[in-house]
Amino acid sequence: ARLTVYRNLTRPAAARQWAEVGRLLAEAGRAVPDSAEVPLLEAEVLVAKGDVPGAKRLLTAARDARPNEPEFWFALATLADRTGDNTAAHAILDEAAKTLGDTADLRIARLRVTGYTSAEQAVAVLDGLGSGADKFAPDDRVRLFRALASAYWLIDRPALAAGLWERVAALR
């Protein structure tokens, strides 16, 4: 189903075959009813069709039904950010932290929705996201350090990026 959704998204809007996507997603939902991926894909389809409010309703219902599934929190924050509501994106992630606790994935989600007005501000935010990361499991630290290293690289702070890449190498 995922491949059909993404293949459809690469087509011109008039050539998209949403009926086939809907059928495949319904089959997937019946086959794997507890899958988080099905509602996430359904939300992507709604966004592609221009129904952002419908996607938000679907993701909110999924999150409310399964509040311990981080994917729904992150998808809601990403949707808010994509629609220009960065304040809501951060509020959603703040709520997620209350439910899920501090996780590497939550920090990566924050990284993805945080905008910066200067490199100095970005460094301060990135430093904060990396602070205390030693409490995470090694694989979680690797994911977080990779994301932070990429962000440091993008703001032209290669020494900070290199330091994190060294930490990734040491964990491998």
Side-chain angles (χ1 to χ4, degrees), residues 58-72:
L58 180 107
L59 291 170
T60 300
R63 187 236 10 231
D64 292 349
R66 300 188 316 214
N68 292 322
E69 297 240 12
E71 295 87 356
F72 298 129

Side-chain angles (χ1 to χ4, degrees), residues 25 29 32-46 55 58-59 62 66 72:
L25 286 173
V32 190
D34 292 333
S35 169
E37 189 168 2
V38 173
L40 292 171
L41 287 171
E42 289 172 336
E44 282 294 321
V45 168
L46 289 170
L58 180 107
L59 291 170
R66 300 188 316 214
F72 298 129

Side-chain angles (χ1 to χ4, degrees), residues 39 49 56 80:
K49 289 178 169 182
K56 183 179 178 182

Side-chain angles (χ1 to χ4, degrees), residues 7-167:
R7 198 175 318 135
N8 231 0
L9 292 173
T10 63
R11 294 180 177 147
R16 294 178 180 164
Q17 299 171 355
W18 295 120
E20 175 68 7
V21 169
R23 185 186 65 73
L24 290 171
L25 286 173
E27 282 180 24
R30 285 190 299 277
V32 190
D34 292 333
S35 169
E37 189 168 2
V38 173
L40 292 171
L41 287 171
E42 289 172 336
E44 282 294 321
V45 168
L46 289 170
V47 170
K49 289 178 169 182
D51 186 5
V52 172
K56 183 179 178 182
R57 281 191 302 277
L58 180 107
L59 291 170
T60 300
R63 187 236 10 231
D64 292 349
R66 300 188 316 214
N68 292 322
E69 297 240 12
E71 295 87 356
F72 298 129
W73 292 98
F74 302 157
L76 277 166
T78 300
L79 182 61
D81 187 60
R82 283 170 60 182
T83 58
D85 195 347
N86 190 264
T87 302
H90 282 278
I92 290 164
L93 294 176
D94 289 344
E95 268 189 71
K98 291 175 188 172
T99 300
L100 305 170
D102 183 23
T103 68
D105 288 332
L106 179 61
R107 291 184 185 199
I108 292 167
R110 285 188 190 283
L111 171 67
R112 291 181 177 151
V113 301
T114 300
Y116 319 105
T117 57
S118 69
E120 291 73 27
Q121 179 196 27
V123 167
V125 170
L126 296 174
D127 287 350
L129 290 172
S131 177
D134 290 335
K135 70 181 179 180
F136 300 130
D139 286 345
D140 291 339
R141 278 183 280 164
V142 165
R143 280 195 329 279
L144 177 59
F145 292 159
R146 283 179 175 165
L148 290 170
S150 295
Y152 280 122
W153 187 263
L154 289 172
I155 61 166
D156 198 27
R157 295 298 193 268
L160 295 171
L164 285 170
W165 285 119
E166 288 172 8
R167 292 181 74 180

